[in-house]
Amino acid sequence: MLRSLFTALSVTAFLAAPAPAPALAANVIPDPHANASYGAELEGFDYPYPVQRYRFSSQGQALQMAYMDVQPSGKANGRTMLLLHGKNFCGATWDSSIKALSDAGYRVLVPDQIGFCKSSKPEHYQYTFQQLANNTHALLQSLGIDQVTVLGHSTGGMLGIRYSLMYPQEVQQLALVNPIGLEDWKAKGVPSITVDQWYARELKVNAAGLRDYERNTYYAGQWREDYEPWVQMLAGLNRGPGHRLVAWNSALLYDMIYTQPVVYELPQLKMPVLLLIGDKDNTAIGKDLAAPEIRSQLGNYPVLAHEAARQIPHVKLIEFPDYGHAPQMQDPTAFHKALLGALQ
């Protein structure tokens, strides 16, 4: 059934896909595993800590949710940090944050959401942030965890907001790192495309395109060798034998992100909220589809951050003027010093 679905969808390939990315810059050191391919659940790619699996049933099917559960390496403070990854990220990309938080005495729980990385890629799934939050809450319940501090990055920030709205009595504090969804792209003029068209775009994903996009969006036009493994992680998924299933789930997830902004519900967050914002970020889903005059107005994070801060009742805003979408990866030392200093 899946084969026939993908065959049909391939016929509807989106003709306006982005142009191929430019060649690798001279200062980029090629990764020795650049041609590696990984299974649909990222088999073959090692995580920095042992991976466990929570098995459960959702929407009439058996699924498994991969996660890392890292105990405090410093003096335990009795708190648990729940780390929620972004769209082009995985639990593994939190590696420096896991270490910093564990050293500071936190238990650190790091799931891969369904549809991502080492977790299940269903053939059919209705993706909503409510569903992902429910899955995550069930994981915490299975581990006997009833109080968490949530740290969400990018799309994980959207999920963190939804989780905090659904389970407010169980969230001690919410920390958001360059969350997306702080603007409603469709209301601002980003054209809507179908899941079939998202799928056709995702089939074109490759290392060169990922690297170019991340350099310009995540890292403020800069590139370092330590970013390359994360490009190869995603590219390897899309080179692997399950690449069509990976692309299909990615398409469904993009549709979820585009259609479910959280910006309208920020005033309902009653717990303390910490906003950590790299000001050079310009992320906006579907921005390349918008007209030039609209595109230039999207993803303006210095403006979005201050607009969000005005709406959230109990908020502290920390800005990183020189960094982009992932300040925790660009300058882990400065980021974690700010984070740990602001956690209540």
Side-chain angles (χ1 to χ4, degrees):
M1 181 177 180
L2 182 61
R3 181 185 300 274
S4 60
L5 172 64
F6 288 142
T7 301
L9 290 174
S10 298
V11 176
T12 64
F14 187 47
L15 298 179
L24 183 62
N27 64 338
V28 175
I29 301 174
D31 189 282
H33 304 292
N35 294 319
S37 63
Y38 305 117
E41 295 181 7
L42 205 50
E43 296 92 343
F45 186 91
D46 292 334
Y47 270 30
Y49 298 91
V51 175
Q52 303 180 61
R53 284 169 172 82
Y54 169 58
R55 291 176 170 82
F56 65 106
S57 177
S58 176
Q59 299 185 21
Q61 56 197 309
L63 301 174
Q64 66 86 17
M65 194 172 182
Y67 67 95
M68 293 177 284
D69 187 359
V70 182
Q71 300 301 313
S73 60
K75 183 180 178 181
N77 62 17
R79 297 180 65 179
T80 299
M81 292 288 300
L82 172 64
L83 306 190
L84 302 175
H85 62 77
K87 172 65 178 68
N88 288 329
F89 300 82
C90 292
T93 56
W94 282 115
D95 60 344
S96 65
S97 297
I98 297 171
K99 184 179 186 307
L101 290 163
S102 176
D103 288 349
Y106 291 87
R107 178 182 181 179
V108 189
L109 187 66
V110 193
D112 281 346
Q113 296 299 320
I114 296 300
F116 293 88
C117 310
K118 286 187 176 291
S119 292
S120 295
K121 312 290 187 306
E123 293 185 15
H124 308 285
Y125 206 63
Q126 183 177 358
Y127 280 107
T128 66
F129 284 111
Q130 289 90 334
Q131 179 68 71
L132 297 185
N134 183 273
N135 296 346
T136 304
H137 188 253
L139 166 63
L140 266 63
Q141 286 186 313
S142 76
L143 297 171
I145 300 171
D146 59 8
Q147 291 288 310
V148 290
T149 295
V150 177
L151 176 60
H153 171 232
S154 188
T155 299
M158 296 181 77
L159 176 56
I161 292 169
R162 177 61 54 219
Y163 189 95
S164 299
L165 291 170
M166 290 174 65
Y167 308 105
Q169 301 305 315
E170 300 178 33
V171 177
Q172 296 170 310
Q173 187 172 5
L174 171 62
L176 302 169
V177 187
N178 285 76
I180 60 173
L182 297 182
E183 56 187 337
D184 186 343
W185 304 293
K186 60 185 184 300
K188 286 192 169 184
V190 175
S192 174
I193 62 174
T194 67
V195 172
D196 295 358
Q197 290 168 330
W198 279 118
Y199 172 64
R201 288 162 63 92
E202 289 305 284
L203 285 175
K204 300 177 185 294
V205 166
N206 57 52
L210 285 165
R211 189 182 301 109
D212 186 59
Y213 174 77
E214 293 187 7
R215 179 195 297 114
N216 294 328
T217 303
Y218 296 167
Y219 306 119
Q222 302 175 3
W223 193 256
R224 296 198 312 251
E225 184 180 358
D226 58 305
Y227 303 151
E228 187 66 19
W230 311 127
V231 166
Q232 297 302 328
M233 175 185 69
L234 297 176
L237 264 176
N238 288 278
R239 284 190 291 258
H243 71 283
R244 290 187 177 274
L245 188 56
V246 168
W248 178 244
N249 276 262
S250 184
L252 295 174
L253 289 161
Y254 268 124
D255 187 69
M256 173 190 74
I257 296 165
Y258 174 84
T259 58
Q260 298 177 35
V262 294
V263 62
Y264 305 115
E265 297 169 273
L266 298 180
Q268 298 178 32
L269 293 168
K270 303 307 181 186
M271 67 288 298
V273 176
L274 177 62
L275 278 175
L276 300 127
I277 302 295
D279 284 337
K280 292 190 180 298
D281 189 6
N282 55 54
T283 304
I285 299 301
K287 182 166 66 174
D288 62 303
L289 301 170
E293 62 274 13
I294 295 173
R295 192 181 312 151
S296 62
Q297 302 173 31
L298 301 172
N300 187 339
Y301 267 80
V303 172
L304 293 173
H306 285 271
E307 288 178 348
R310 284 192 291 270
Q311 295 183 61
I312 300 171
H314 310 289
V315 65
K316 180 174 183 178
L317 171 61
I318 299 175
E319 297 181 84
F320 300 91
D322 298 325
Y323 300 135
H325 189 61
Q328 77 277 20
M329 299 167 75
Q330 284 190 275
D331 192 341
T333 300
F335 175 85
H336 294 117
K337 180 180 179 180
L339 171 67
L340 291 169
L343 289 174
Q344 297 185 1

